[in-house]
Each structure stands twice: as structure tokens, then as C-alpha cells.
């Protein structure tokens, strides 16, 4: 077992160091610029602010929501630091080959943690500076800082390497326990226990499920996606395999609809409500149109193979447009419901608004096909033109 770990870890670390070294050589100008702009020693100065934020979590007197927000900010910083390195940490082009090797799960997890420890050297330095600040607050504060470290690096960052939904539940519980009282020993110990469970338990549950014949049959024959149409199954897989490109767009489109509803309510449902809803729909359509590029890039490697099949040339074009329209129904429903429930417009006007919004979302596929590098500008102009026309039509 130690020999397997040493060989696996050595190969992964060698690949990570070579890939990171090439990246640093290509972008060395940014480090020179940081040395000229940032006062003092740039590396220390850039780490001082997050270390002060992390150290301030464990000082008494903070409210629960402020502590929780600070913990989430630290964890978001750690995820953003690791996100561009995900493919390199996973093993690069040989990640699928490594996944097929008979390597024990414990060895794989140990190697992943080793890679994370190397990649997170700046974050570990921040935590070390925060630990120094927590020394004067007592042993409980040091344990709380250790709990945040365990939650952030082994638990949260493993989500980027291996998607396990149970980890999110354990991490959120641990964050809430720490936010309630970071100076209470029982809560700190419970948070640390949930952080450790987030690392150990999900893999064991996954192995248990796949080791039982009935669970194996349930996971293959009766899975929810098994009964979906093949094209929709493929499109959902494209989104699931690219969470860093998919989740922000979906959250932003949903956030625009929620913000539009909140702004309409803040305006007390007066004449400004319709323009707010139209602008929110236009921006949401522009955001969701980015899925056209994501789906097109996913289909590109298979174009030669698809050309040999008895399919129409516009097979994926029609299905991709329909899929993006399906995603666009969520913000549309939220905003149209807010307008309709408060009688801000006639049903005919709302129906026409919904129909033209779907047409806009379909037309935004054209700049991607014909616009080239100017596609984002053309898309923004189309969305702005639709919004101005719709506002002029409904506001009289």
C-alpha cells in the first residue's frame, strides 16, 4: 500500500509541478507587475488581508450572520484559488486512465489530499498567520481555526475534484455550528466532527451502494436520467461535467429574476414594474445564451461521427435551442407571475411579452454562429434592442 501511494503521488506531483511551471513561465509578467504595484513584499502583503479576515472570525463579539459570512468568504476564496487548477490536479489528460486503475480509494484520497496540500501552500500560509492571531484568544479559538481549515481544504476543495452532494450537507452543518459560537468547545468539536465526516463518509457510502447488487441495479436501470431522451441526457451531462461554467450562469439568471421581483415590490407595483421586468428578462436571456457556446463546444469533437449518422444537419441546433428555451422558462415564470398576480398588465400583453422573450432567446443563437469574436457585442445589441422595443410597446 505505501508503495502504491508513493508511485501514484510521485507521478501526480510531477505532472502538477511541470504544468504549473509552464503556466508561471507564460504569465511571469503578472508577478513583475505585482512587485511594482503592491507595497512591501508582494507575497506577504497579498496574504495579510485574508489572514486578518480569517483571524477575526475567532474573536468574540461577532454576530452569527457576520461569522457565517466571513467563513463563507474564506471558503469561496479557497475554491476560486483551486478552480483554475482543477484539471491539472486531477491528472491532466491521463485522469480517465488513472480512474480505470485498481487503486484503493484510501490511496486515491490520500494522494488527492497531498496534491491539495501542495496547491494550497498560499492558503496554508494565510491559515498560519491567522493561527498566530488566534494564539492570544485561547485553545478553543485555535481549534475553531483548525476546524475552518479542515472544512475548507480537505472537505470543500474535494468537491472540485470529486462531486459528492453529501459533502455539501456536512460542510454547511459545520459552518453553521462554527458561526453559532466559535468559542464554545462543544460546538467547535461538533463542527470538526462534521468536517471529518465530509471527507470519510461519502466515499464509503458510494462504495457500499455500488457493492450491493440491488443498489447497482437501481443506480443503472432505475436512475432518473435513464428514462430521459438521449439528446436531453447528453445536454444534462454537458452541464454536469462543467459546473464552473454552468452554475454561475444559472444562479445569475435566477438571481436576476429574484432581484427583479424584489425591485418590483420595492416600487409598490407602479408603472416602473414593467420596464424592470423587461430589462431583467433581457439580461437573463443574454446570460443564458452562453449555454449555446458551451453546448456547441461539447458537440464539436463528435461532428465527424455525427455526420455518418442518419441525422439532419440541424439535429443539435434545434435541440440546443429547445434546451436553452427550457432553461429560460425559470426566470420568465418568476417575473411573469409577479406581473400577472398584481394585475400590472393584461393577459394578452403578458403572453406577447413571454413569446417575444422566447424568440429573443432563440435569436441570440445567431451571433454565436455568425458573429465571430464580436458575438458578445452583437448579442448585447440584440438584447438591448428587444428591451427598448418591448418597453416602448408596453409603457404608454
Amino acid at each position: 500500500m505505501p508503495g502504491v501511494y508513493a508511485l501514484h503521488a510521485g507521478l501526480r506531483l510531477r505532472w502538477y509541478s511541470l504544468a504549473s511551471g509552464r503556466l508561471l513561465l507564460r504569465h511571469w509578467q503578472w508577478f513583475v507587475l505585482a512587485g511594482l504595484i503592491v507595497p512591501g513584499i508582494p507575497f506577504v502583503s497579498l496574504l495579510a488581508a485574508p489572514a486578518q479576515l480569517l483571524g477575526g472570525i475567532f474573536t468574540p463579539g461577532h454576530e452569527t450572520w457576520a461569522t457565517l459570512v466571513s467563513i463563507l468568504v474564506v471558503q469561496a476564496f479557497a475554491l476560486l484559488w483551486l478552480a483554475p487548477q482543477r484539471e491539472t490536479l486531477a491528472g491532466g489528460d491521463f485522469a480517465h486512465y488513472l480512474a480505470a486503475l485498481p487503486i484503493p480509494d484510501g490511496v486515491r484520497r490520500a494522494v488527492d489530499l497531498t496534491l491539495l496540500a501542495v496547491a494550497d501552500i498560499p492558503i496554508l500560509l494565510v491559515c498560519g498567520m491567522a493561527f498566530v492571531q488566534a494564539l492570544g484568544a485561547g485553545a478553543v479559538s485555535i481549534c475553531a481555526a483548525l476546524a475552518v481549515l479542515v472544512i475548507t481544504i480537505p472537505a470543500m476543495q474535494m468537491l472540485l475534484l470529486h462531486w459528492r452532494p453529501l459533502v455539501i450537507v456536512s460542510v454547511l452543518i459545520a459552518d453553521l455550528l462554527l458561526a453559532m459560537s466559535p468559542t464554545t468547545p462543544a460546538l467547535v468539536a461538533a463542527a470538526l466532527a462534521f468536517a471529518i465526516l465530509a471527507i470519510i463518509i461519502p466515499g464509503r457510502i458510494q462504495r457500499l451502494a455500488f457493492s450491493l447488487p440491488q443498489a447497482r441495479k437501481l443506480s443503472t436501470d432505475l436512475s432518473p436520467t435513464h428514462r430521459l431522451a438521449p439528446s436531453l441526457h447528453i445536454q444534462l451531462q454537458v452541464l454536469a461535467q462543467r459546473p464552473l461554467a454552468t452554475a454561475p450562469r444559472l444562479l445569475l439568471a435566477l438571481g436576476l429574476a429574484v432581484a427583479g421581483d424584489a425591485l418590483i415590490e420595492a416600487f409598490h407595483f407602479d408603472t416602473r414594474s414593467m420596464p424592470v421586468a423587461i430589462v431583467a428578462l433581457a439580461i437573463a436571456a443574454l446570460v443564458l445564451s452562453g449555454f449555446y457556446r458551451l453546448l456547441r463546444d461539447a458537440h464539436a469533437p463528435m461532428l465527424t461521427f455525427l455526420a455518418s449518422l442518419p441525422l439532419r444537419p440541424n439535429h443539435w441546433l434545434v435541440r440546443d435551442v429547445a434546451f436553452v428555451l427550457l432553461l429560460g422558462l425559470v426566470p420568465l415564470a418568476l417575473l411573469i407571475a409577479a406581473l400577472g398576480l398584481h394585475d400590472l398588465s393584461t393577459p394578452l400583453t403578458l403572453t406577447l411579452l413571454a413569446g417575444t422573450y422566447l424568440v429573443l432567446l432563440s435569436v441570440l443563437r445567431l451571433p454565436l454562429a455568425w458573429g465571430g469574436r464580436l458575438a458578445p457585442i452583437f448579442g448585447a445589441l440584440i438584447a438591448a434592442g428587444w428591451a427598448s422595443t418591448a418597453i416602448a410597446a408596453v409603457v404608454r
Side-chain angles (χ1 to χ4, degrees), residues 114-141:
T114 303
L115 267 292
L116 289 177
V118 175
D120 287 329
I121 289 178
I123 298 179
L124 293 176
L125 292 176
V126 170
C127 293
M129 298 169 67
F131 286 164
V132 173
Q133 298 180 19
L135 289 177
V140 178
S141 297

Side-chain angles (χ1 to χ4, degrees), residues 281-352:
L281 286 174
I283 301 176
L286 196 60
V287 171
L288 292 174
S289 66
F291 285 111
Y292 287 128
R293 182 182 299 276
L294 187 66
L295 294 171
R296 186 198 64 176
D297 294 343
H299 302 324
M302 301 297 294
L303 290 180
T304 304
F305 172 72
L306 292 174
S308 64
L309 298 178
L311 299 175
R312 295 180 179 179
N314 61 350
H315 176 82
W316 278 114
L317 173 62
V318 174
R319 283 157 179 78
D320 288 347
V321 171
F323 182 71
V324 175
L325 291 180
L326 184 64
L327 296 177
L329 291 178
V330 179
L332 176 64
L334 292 175
L335 289 168
I336 291 296
L339 297 175
L341 290 175
H342 296 89
D343 297 327
L344 297 178
S345 185
T346 63
L348 177 60
T349 302
L350 294 180
T351 302
L352 292 175

Side-chain angles (χ1 to χ4, degrees), residues 17-326:
S17 61
L18 290 174
S20 301
R22 297 192 195 103
L23 184 65
L24 292 177
L25 288 176
R26 287 198 302 267
H27 301 286
W28 59 270
Q29 300 93 337
W30 295 105
F31 296 94
V32 176
L33 184 62
L36 296 175
I37 295 177
V38 179
I41 303 176
F43 194 74
V44 177
S45 301
L46 292 174
L47 298 181
Q52 185 176 4
L53 174 63
L54 182 59
I57 296 175
F58 315 110
T59 57
H62 292 286
E63 296 184 2
T64 300
W65 68 268
T67 304
L68 181 60
V69 169
S70 301
I71 294 174
L72 293 177
V73 167
V74 171
Q75 292 173 352
F77 173 78
L79 291 178
L80 291 175
W81 167 255
L82 193 68
Q85 310 179 65
R86 181 180 181 274
E87 295 297 331
T88 305
L89 289 170
D93 296 334
F94 293 95
H96 298 291
Y97 172 72
L98 292 173
L101 294 179
I103 301 174
D105 289 342
V107 174
R108 293 180 186 273
R109 190 177 299 109
V111 173
D112 288 336
L113 292 176
T114 303
L115 267 292
L116 289 177
V118 175
D120 287 329
I121 289 178
I123 298 179
L124 293 176
L125 292 176
V126 170
C127 293
M129 298 169 67
F131 286 164
V132 173
Q133 298 180 19
L135 289 177
V140 178
S141 297
I142 297 177
C143 293
L146 179 62
V148 173
L149 178 62
V150 174
I151 295 170
T152 302
I153 294 181
M156 283 290 290
Q157 290 188 340
M158 287 288 278
L159 280 173
L160 291 176
L161 299 180
H162 308 287
W163 174 248
R164 290 170 177 172
L166 290 177
V167 174
I168 300 179
V169 179
S170 300
V171 166
L172 289 178
I173 293 175
D175 288 342
L176 288 174
L177 290 174
L178 278 178
M180 290 172 62
S181 181
T183 57
T184 303
L187 293 179
V188 173
L192 189 58
F194 274 103
I196 296 174
L197 287 176
I199 304 170
I200 299 175
I201 296 300
R204 295 183 179 273
I205 292 177
Q206 186 176 7
R207 289 199 307 274
L208 179 62
F210 280 95
S211 64
L212 296 175
Q214 294 180 353
R216 183 186 297 273
K217 185 175 186 301
L218 182 65
S219 64
T220 55
D221 296 339
L222 301 180
S223 61
T225 59
H226 183 73
R227 296 186 293 269
L228 295 176
S231 59
L232 183 58
H233 193 182
I234 292 172
Q235 291 165 333
L236 291 175
Q237 283 186 333
V238 171
L239 268 61
Q241 292 175 359
R242 296 167 175 81
L244 295 178
T246 300
R249 292 187 183 278
L250 293 175
L251 292 176
L252 182 56
L254 182 61
L256 286 169
V258 174
D261 286 344
L263 195 57
I264 290 173
E265 186 176 358
F267 287 155
H268 301 290
F269 310 103
D270 58 9
T271 56
R272 295 171 291 181
S273 301
M274 284 294 291
V276 168
I278 292 172
V279 172
L281 286 174
I283 301 176
L286 196 60
V287 171
L288 292 174
S289 66
F291 285 111
Y292 287 128
R293 182 182 299 276
L294 187 66
L295 294 171
R296 186 198 64 176
D297 294 343
H299 302 324
M302 301 297 294
L303 290 180
T304 304
F305 172 72
L306 292 174
S308 64
L309 298 178
L311 299 175
R312 295 180 179 179
N314 61 350
H315 176 82
W316 278 114
L317 173 62
V318 174
R319 283 157 179 78
D320 288 347
V321 171
F323 182 71
V324 175
L325 291 180
L326 184 64

Side-chain angles (χ1 to χ4, degrees), residues 377-392:
I377 298 177
F378 290 149
L381 292 176
I382 293 173
W386 175 84
S388 59
T389 304
I391 292 174

